[in-house]
Amino acid sequence: MRSPRNLNDSSHMELNLTSMIDVVFLLLIFFALTANFNEPEKILPTNLAMSGAISSEQTQRQEQRTRVITRIATTRERQTTYLVDSKRAESLEELEALFNALREIDSETCVVIAPERDVPLEAVLDVYDCARRVGLASVKFAAFKDSLVR
């Protein structure tokens, strides 16, 4: 039988950390590859509901709201024009005045933004910002067959 080695002798003690370092690096690589660095898509508040998720009370409230369709178009001179139901607005200031009048009539008015195909995204977001700035809580987007990119 062997006698135990002297514990004070440090020349014979070894601690192999290679396998532990390998595991740590593998975990580091795994977490780096599975991390999601994209911004969350919660910038624009929307109410998306799955089929069957809307209660009858919510449906009745949505049907009772006044819907105002805002169409956005660009002229041949590349000028953006807005049509709120049947009223035309040539600038964002006029559009904001129309939205203000709608809010004063009914604060629960739902604004549906319907851009044409050649309208730049910046103009669509300007209308969205204008409606939110005025205080209209419900702003939605519509896409028509002629406005879809193919």
PDB file of all heavy atoms in Angstrom, residues 23-48:
ATOM      1  N   VAL A  23     -16.059  24.442 -21.980  1.00  0.00           N
ATOM      2  CA  VAL A  23     -17.507  24.544 -21.740  1.00  0.00           C
ATOM      3  C   VAL A  23     -17.935  26.001 -21.623  1.00  0.00           C
ATOM      4  O   VAL A  23     -18.957  26.411 -22.185  1.00  0.00           O
ATOM      5  CB  VAL A  23     -17.900  23.743 -20.469  1.00  0.00           C
ATOM      6  CG1 VAL A  23     -19.330  24.037 -20.061  1.00  0.00           C
ATOM      7  CG2 VAL A  23     -17.709  22.262 -20.703  1.00  0.00           C
ATOM      8  N   VAL A  24     -17.162  26.813 -20.953  1.00  0.00           N
ATOM      9  CA  VAL A  24     -17.491  28.232 -20.806  1.00  0.00           C
ATOM     10  C   VAL A  24     -17.506  28.919 -22.171  1.00  0.00           C
ATOM     11  O   VAL A  24     -18.415  29.684 -22.493  1.00  0.00           O
ATOM     12  CB  VAL A  24     -16.501  28.927 -19.842  1.00  0.00           C
ATOM     13  CG1 VAL A  24     -16.657  30.439 -19.902  1.00  0.00           C
ATOM     14  CG2 VAL A  24     -16.719  28.431 -18.423  1.00  0.00           C
ATOM     15  N   PHE A  25     -16.516  28.636 -23.016  1.00  0.00           N
ATOM     16  CA  PHE A  25     -16.492  29.237 -24.346  1.00  0.00           C
ATOM     17  C   PHE A  25     -17.649  28.739 -25.213  1.00  0.00           C
ATOM     18  O   PHE A  25     -18.240  29.506 -25.980  1.00  0.00           O
ATOM     19  CB  PHE A  25     -15.159  28.983 -25.044  1.00  0.00           C
ATOM     20  CG  PHE A  25     -14.096  29.936 -24.616  1.00  0.00           C
ATOM     21  CD1 PHE A  25     -12.904  29.473 -24.078  1.00  0.00           C
ATOM     22  CD2 PHE A  25     -14.274  31.304 -24.728  1.00  0.00           C
ATOM     23  CE1 PHE A  25     -11.922  30.347 -23.674  1.00  0.00           C
ATOM     24  CE2 PHE A  25     -13.298  32.198 -24.328  1.00  0.00           C
ATOM     25  CZ  PHE A  25     -12.118  31.719 -23.788  1.00  0.00           C
ATOM     26  N   LEU A  26     -18.008  27.489 -25.102  1.00  0.00           N
ATOM     27  CA  LEU A  26     -19.159  26.972 -25.856  1.00  0.00           C
ATOM     28  C   LEU A  26     -20.453  27.663 -25.424  1.00  0.00           C
ATOM     29  O   LEU A  26     -21.304  28.012 -26.255  1.00  0.00           O
ATOM     30  CB  LEU A  26     -19.272  25.462 -25.686  1.00  0.00           C
ATOM     31  CG  LEU A  26     -18.262  24.629 -26.472  1.00  0.00           C
ATOM     32  CD1 LEU A  26     -18.384  23.158 -26.117  1.00  0.00           C
ATOM     33  CD2 LEU A  26     -18.454  24.835 -27.961  1.00  0.00           C
ATOM     34  N   LEU A  27     -20.615  27.867 -24.122  1.00  0.00           N
ATOM     35  CA  LEU A  27     -21.796  28.581 -23.632  1.00  0.00           C
ATOM     36  C   LEU A  27     -21.800  30.030 -24.114  1.00  0.00           C
ATOM     37  O   LEU A  27     -22.836  30.569 -24.504  1.00  0.00           O
ATOM     38  CB  LEU A  27     -21.852  28.530 -22.104  1.00  0.00           C
ATOM     39  CG  LEU A  27     -22.265  27.199 -21.491  1.00  0.00           C
ATOM     40  CD1 LEU A  27     -22.122  27.251 -19.979  1.00  0.00           C
ATOM     41  CD2 LEU A  27     -23.686  26.854 -21.883  1.00  0.00           C
ATOM     42  N   LEU A  28     -20.644  30.661 -24.105  1.00  0.00           N
ATOM     43  CA  LEU A  28     -20.536  32.032 -24.580  1.00  0.00           C
ATOM     44  C   LEU A  28     -20.930  32.129 -26.061  1.00  0.00           C
ATOM     45  O   LEU A  28     -21.705  33.007 -26.461  1.00  0.00           O
ATOM     46  CB  LEU A  28     -19.111  32.543 -24.365  1.00  0.00           C
ATOM     47  CG  LEU A  28     -18.836  33.969 -24.824  1.00  0.00           C
ATOM     48  CD1 LEU A  28     -19.610  34.949 -23.964  1.00  0.00           C
ATOM     49  CD2 LEU A  28     -17.362  34.261 -24.777  1.00  0.00           C
ATOM     50  N   ILE A  29     -20.428  31.226 -26.869  1.00  0.00           N
ATOM     51  CA  ILE A  29     -20.783  31.215 -28.290  1.00  0.00           C
ATOM     52  C   ILE A  29     -22.266  30.938 -28.473  1.00  0.00           C
ATOM     53  O   ILE A  29     -22.940  31.582 -29.282  1.00  0.00           O
ATOM     54  CB  ILE A  29     -19.915  30.170 -29.034  1.00  0.00           C
ATOM     55  CG1 ILE A  29     -18.470  30.641 -29.076  1.00  0.00           C
ATOM     56  CG2 ILE A  29     -20.446  29.935 -30.445  1.00  0.00           C
ATOM     57  CD1 ILE A  29     -17.507  29.590 -29.579  1.00  0.00           C
ATOM     58  N   PHE A  30     -22.807  30.001 -27.728  1.00  0.00           N
ATOM     59  CA  PHE A  30     -24.237  29.686 -27.832  1.00  0.00           C
ATOM     60  C   PHE A  30     -25.096  30.912 -27.517  1.00  0.00           C
ATOM     61  O   PHE A  30     -26.010  31.250 -28.271  1.00  0.00           O
ATOM     62  CB  PHE A  30     -24.587  28.536 -26.874  1.00  0.00           C
ATOM     63  CG  PHE A  30     -26.053  28.262 -26.793  1.00  0.00           C
ATOM     64  CD1 PHE A  30     -26.694  27.569 -27.796  1.00  0.00           C
ATOM     65  CD2 PHE A  30     -26.796  28.738 -25.716  1.00  0.00           C
ATOM     66  CE1 PHE A  30     -28.060  27.324 -27.719  1.00  0.00           C
ATOM     67  CE2 PHE A  30     -28.145  28.503 -25.633  1.00  0.00           C
ATOM     68  CZ  PHE A  30     -28.779  27.787 -26.641  1.00  0.00           C
ATOM     69  N   PHE A  31     -24.818  31.591 -26.430  1.00  0.00           N
ATOM     70  CA  PHE A  31     -25.628  32.748 -26.055  1.00  0.00           C
ATOM     71  C   PHE A  31     -25.434  33.916 -27.017  1.00  0.00           C
ATOM     72  O   PHE A  31     -26.360  34.682 -27.280  1.00  0.00           O
ATOM     73  CB  PHE A  31     -25.334  33.175 -24.613  1.00  0.00           C
ATOM     74  CG  PHE A  31     -25.890  32.226 -23.589  1.00  0.00           C
ATOM     75  CD1 PHE A  31     -25.065  31.623 -22.663  1.00  0.00           C
ATOM     76  CD2 PHE A  31     -27.242  31.936 -23.559  1.00  0.00           C
ATOM     77  CE1 PHE A  31     -25.577  30.754 -21.720  1.00  0.00           C
ATOM     78  CE2 PHE A  31     -27.771  31.068 -22.627  1.00  0.00           C
ATOM     79  CZ  PHE A  31     -26.932  30.468 -21.708  1.00  0.00           C
ATOM     80  N   ALA A  32     -24.233  34.069 -27.555  1.00  0.00           N
ATOM     81  CA  ALA A  32     -24.003  35.143 -28.526  1.00  0.00           C
ATOM     82  C   ALA A  32     -24.779  34.885 -29.815  1.00  0.00           C
ATOM     83  O   ALA A  32     -25.313  35.805 -30.429  1.00  0.00           O
ATOM     84  CB  ALA A  32     -22.516  35.275 -28.814  1.00  0.00           C
ATOM     85  N   LEU A  33     -24.859  33.637 -30.238  1.00  0.00           N
ATOM     86  CA  LEU A  33     -25.565  33.320 -31.480  1.00  0.00           C
ATOM     87  C   LEU A  33     -27.078  33.333 -31.318  1.00  0.00           C
ATOM     88  O   LEU A  33     -27.803  33.596 -32.277  1.00  0.00           O
ATOM     89  CB  LEU A  33     -25.113  31.957 -32.018  1.00  0.00           C
ATOM     90  CG  LEU A  33     -23.669  31.887 -32.522  1.00  0.00           C
ATOM     91  CD1 LEU A  33     -23.319  30.473 -32.953  1.00  0.00           C
ATOM     92  CD2 LEU A  33     -23.464  32.857 -33.674  1.00  0.00           C
ATOM     93  N   THR A  34     -27.567  33.038 -30.144  1.00  0.00           N
ATOM     94  CA  THR A  34     -29.025  32.993 -29.960  1.00  0.00           C
ATOM     95  C   THR A  34     -29.603  34.304 -29.447  1.00  0.00           C
ATOM     96  O   THR A  34     -30.819  34.435 -29.366  1.00  0.00           O
ATOM     97  CB  THR A  34     -29.413  31.869 -28.973  1.00  0.00           C
ATOM     98  OG1 THR A  34     -28.741  32.101 -27.729  1.00  0.00           O
ATOM     99  CG2 THR A  34     -29.057  30.516 -29.545  1.00  0.00           C
ATOM    100  N   ALA A  35     -28.767  35.266 -29.139  1.00  0.00           N
ATOM    101  CA  ALA A  35     -29.270  36.555 -28.652  1.00  0.00           C
ATOM    102  C   ALA A  35     -29.946  37.311 -29.792  1.00  0.00           C
ATOM    103  O   ALA A  35     -29.535  37.236 -30.945  1.00  0.00           O
ATOM    104  CB  ALA A  35     -28.123  37.380 -28.076  1.00  0.00           C
ATOM    105  N   ASN A  36     -30.984  38.055 -29.461  1.00  0.00           N
ATOM    106  CA  ASN A  36     -31.726  38.847 -30.434  1.00  0.00           C
ATOM    107  C   ASN A  36     -31.374  40.310 -30.214  1.00  0.00           C
ATOM    108  O   ASN A  36     -31.753  40.899 -29.201  1.00  0.00           O
ATOM    109  CB  ASN A  36     -33.230  38.615 -30.259  1.00  0.00           C
ATOM    110  CG  ASN A  36     -34.029  39.259 -31.344  1.00  0.00           C
ATOM    111  OD1 ASN A  36     -33.483  39.856 -32.257  1.00  0.00           O
ATOM    112  ND2 ASN A  36     -35.335  39.146 -31.240  1.00  0.00           N
ATOM    113  N   PHE A  37     -30.668  40.898 -31.163  1.00  0.00           N
ATOM    114  CA  PHE A  37     -30.228  42.268 -31.020  1.00  0.00           C
ATOM    115  C   PHE A  37     -31.145  43.260 -31.736  1.00  0.00           C
ATOM    116  O   PHE A  37     -30.837  44.427 -31.826  1.00  0.00           O
ATOM    117  CB  PHE A  37     -28.794  42.422 -31.533  1.00  0.00           C
ATOM    118  CG  PHE A  37     -27.792  41.632 -30.735  1.00  0.00           C
ATOM    119  CD1 PHE A  37     -27.198  40.498 -31.248  1.00  0.00           C
ATOM    120  CD2 PHE A  37     -27.470  42.025 -29.448  1.00  0.00           C
ATOM    121  CE1 PHE A  37     -26.287  39.778 -30.513  1.00  0.00           C
ATOM    122  CE2 PHE A  37     -26.559  41.313 -28.704  1.00  0.00           C
ATOM    123  CZ  PHE A  37     -25.962  40.186 -29.233  1.00  0.00           C
ATOM    124  N   ASN A  38     -32.269  42.789 -32.284  1.00  0.00           N
ATOM    125  CA  ASN A  38     -33.208  43.683 -32.957  1.00  0.00           C
ATOM    126  C   ASN A  38     -34.026  44.456 -31.945  1.00  0.00           C
ATOM    127  O   ASN A  38     -34.287  43.979 -30.837  1.00  0.00           O
ATOM    128  CB  ASN A  38     -34.154  42.887 -33.853  1.00  0.00           C
ATOM    129  CG  ASN A  38     -33.414  42.206 -34.979  1.00  0.00           C
ATOM    130  OD1 ASN A  38     -32.362  42.667 -35.372  1.00  0.00           O
ATOM    131  ND2 ASN A  38     -33.965  41.124 -35.485  1.00  0.00           N
ATOM    132  N   GLU A  39     -34.461  45.652 -32.352  1.00  0.00           N
ATOM    133  CA  GLU A  39     -35.336  46.427 -31.481  1.00  0.00           C
ATOM    134  C   GLU A  39     -36.711  45.771 -31.447  1.00  0.00           C
ATOM    135  O   GLU A  39     -37.188  45.280 -32.464  1.00  0.00           O
ATOM    136  CB  GLU A  39     -35.480  47.852 -32.004  1.00  0.00           C
ATOM    137  CG  GLU A  39     -34.275  48.703 -31.775  1.00  0.00           C
ATOM    138  CD  GLU A  39     -34.535  50.148 -32.162  1.00  0.00           C
ATOM    139  OE1 GLU A  39     -35.628  50.648 -31.849  1.00  0.00           O
ATOM    140  OE2 GLU A  39     -33.656  50.734 -32.782  1.00  0.00           O
ATOM    141  N   PRO A  40     -37.362  45.779 -30.309  1.00  0.00           N
ATOM    142  CA  PRO A  40     -38.708  45.200 -30.259  1.00  0.00           C
ATOM    143  C   PRO A  40     -39.668  46.022 -31.109  1.00  0.00           C
ATOM    144  O   PRO A  40     -39.544  47.238 -31.222  1.00  0.00           O
ATOM    145  CB  PRO A  40     -39.074  45.266 -28.770  1.00  0.00           C
ATOM    146  CG  PRO A  40     -38.143  46.261 -28.189  1.00  0.00           C
ATOM    147  CD  PRO A  40     -36.911  46.277 -29.029  1.00  0.00           C
ATOM    148  N   GLU A  41     -40.637  45.351 -31.706  1.00  0.00           N
ATOM    149  CA  GLU A  41     -41.589  46.013 -32.589  1.00  0.00           C
ATOM    150  C   GLU A  41     -42.760  46.575 -31.791  1.00  0.00           C
ATOM    151  O   GLU A  41     -43.910  46.303 -32.061  1.00  0.00           O
ATOM    152  CB  GLU A  41     -42.070  45.049 -33.651  1.00  0.00           C
ATOM    153  CG  GLU A  41     -40.957  44.599 -34.564  1.00  0.00           C
ATOM    154  CD  GLU A  41     -41.433  43.670 -35.641  1.00  0.00           C
ATOM    155  OE1 GLU A  41     -42.651  43.569 -35.835  1.00  0.00           O
ATOM    156  OE2 GLU A  41     -40.589  43.052 -36.282  1.00  0.00           O
ATOM    157  N   LYS A  42     -42.447  47.349 -30.804  1.00  0.00           N
ATOM    158  CA  LYS A  42     -43.485  47.960 -29.972  1.00  0.00           C
ATOM    159  C   LYS A  42     -43.467  49.462 -30.119  1.00  0.00           C
ATOM    160  O   LYS A  42     -43.977  50.171 -29.275  1.00  0.00           O
ATOM    161  CB  LYS A  42     -43.273  47.566 -28.516  1.00  0.00           C
ATOM    162  CG  LYS A  42     -43.411  46.096 -28.279  1.00  0.00           C
ATOM    163  CD  LYS A  42     -43.152  45.752 -26.849  1.00  0.00           C
ATOM    164  CE  LYS A  42     -43.223  44.246 -26.662  1.00  0.00           C
ATOM    165  NZ  LYS A  42     -42.924  43.843 -25.321  1.00  0.00           N
ATOM    166  N   ILE A  43     -42.862  49.945 -31.194  1.00  0.00           N
ATOM    167  CA  ILE A  43     -42.756  51.380 -31.378  1.00  0.00           C
ATOM    168  C   ILE A  43     -44.105  51.979 -31.746  1.00  0.00           C
ATOM    169  O   ILE A  43     -44.527  52.982 -31.199  1.00  0.00           O
ATOM    170  CB  ILE A  43     -41.698  51.698 -32.447  1.00  0.00           C
ATOM    171  CG1 ILE A  43     -40.327  51.215 -31.958  1.00  0.00           C
ATOM    172  CG2 ILE A  43     -41.665  53.183 -32.750  1.00  0.00           C
ATOM    173  CD1 ILE A  43     -39.258  51.247 -33.005  1.00  0.00           C
ATOM    174  N   LEU A  44     -44.803  51.340 -32.674  1.00  0.00           N
ATOM    175  CA  LEU A  44     -46.119  51.814 -33.090  1.00  0.00           C
ATOM    176  C   LEU A  44     -47.187  50.973 -32.401  1.00  0.00           C
ATOM    177  O   LEU A  44     -47.295  49.783 -32.649  1.00  0.00           O
ATOM    178  CB  LEU A  44     -46.278  51.699 -34.615  1.00  0.00           C
ATOM    179  CG  LEU A  44     -45.297  52.504 -35.445  1.00  0.00           C
ATOM    180  CD1 LEU A  44     -45.518  52.200 -36.925  1.00  0.00           C
ATOM    181  CD2 LEU A  44     -45.471  53.977 -35.209  1.00  0.00           C
ATOM    182  N   PRO A  45     -47.976  51.559 -31.534  1.00  0.00           N
ATOM    183  CA  PRO A  45     -48.994  50.769 -30.836  1.00  0.00           C
ATOM    184  C   PRO A  45     -50.119  50.379 -31.796  1.00  0.00           C
ATOM    185  O   PRO A  45     -50.688  51.212 -32.477  1.00  0.00           O
ATOM    186  CB  PRO A  45     -49.500  51.723 -29.748  1.00  0.00           C
ATOM    187  CG  PRO A  45     -49.196  53.075 -30.265  1.00  0.00           C
ATOM    188  CD  PRO A  45     -47.972  52.959 -31.122  1.00  0.00           C
ATOM    189  N   THR A  46     -50.412  49.104 -31.860  1.00  0.00           N
ATOM    190  CA  THR A  46     -51.506  48.603 -32.681  1.00  0.00           C
ATOM    191  C   THR A  46     -52.279  47.576 -31.881  1.00  0.00           C
ATOM    192  O   THR A  46     -51.787  47.019 -30.906  1.00  0.00           O
ATOM    193  CB  THR A  46     -50.992  47.951 -33.974  1.00  0.00           C
ATOM    194  OG1 THR A  46     -50.082  46.909 -33.613  1.00  0.00           O
ATOM    195  CG2 THR A  46     -50.294  48.943 -34.870  1.00  0.00           C
ATOM    196  N   ASN A  47     -53.471  47.310 -32.304  1.00  0.00           N
ATOM    197  CA  ASN A  47     -54.299  46.305 -31.661  1.00  0.00           C
ATOM    198  C   ASN A  47     -54.490  45.159 -32.629  1.00  0.00           C
ATOM    199  O   ASN A  47     -55.416  45.159 -33.426  1.00  0.00           O
ATOM    200  CB  ASN A  47     -55.661  46.886 -31.261  1.00  0.00           C
ATOM    201  CG  ASN A  47     -55.534  47.934 -30.193  1.00  0.00           C
ATOM    202  OD1 ASN A  47     -54.631  47.862 -29.373  1.00  0.00           O
ATOM    203  ND2 ASN A  47     -56.408  48.910 -30.195  1.00  0.00           N
ATOM    204  N   LEU A  48     -53.588  44.196 -32.582  1.00  0.00           N
ATOM    205  CA  LEU A  48     -53.703  43.014 -33.416  1.00  0.00           C
ATOM    206  C   LEU A  48     -54.257  41.894 -32.559  1.00  0.00           C
ATOM    207  O   LEU A  48     -53.706  41.560 -31.520  1.00  0.00           O
ATOM    208  CB  LEU A  48     -52.342  42.605 -33.976  1.00  0.00           C
ATOM    209  CG  LEU A  48     -51.663  43.609 -34.889  1.00  0.00           C
ATOM    210  CD1 LEU A  48     -50.302  43.075 -35.305  1.00  0.00           C
ATOM    211  CD2 LEU A  48     -52.511  43.871 -36.101  1.00  0.00           C
TER     212      LEU A  48
END
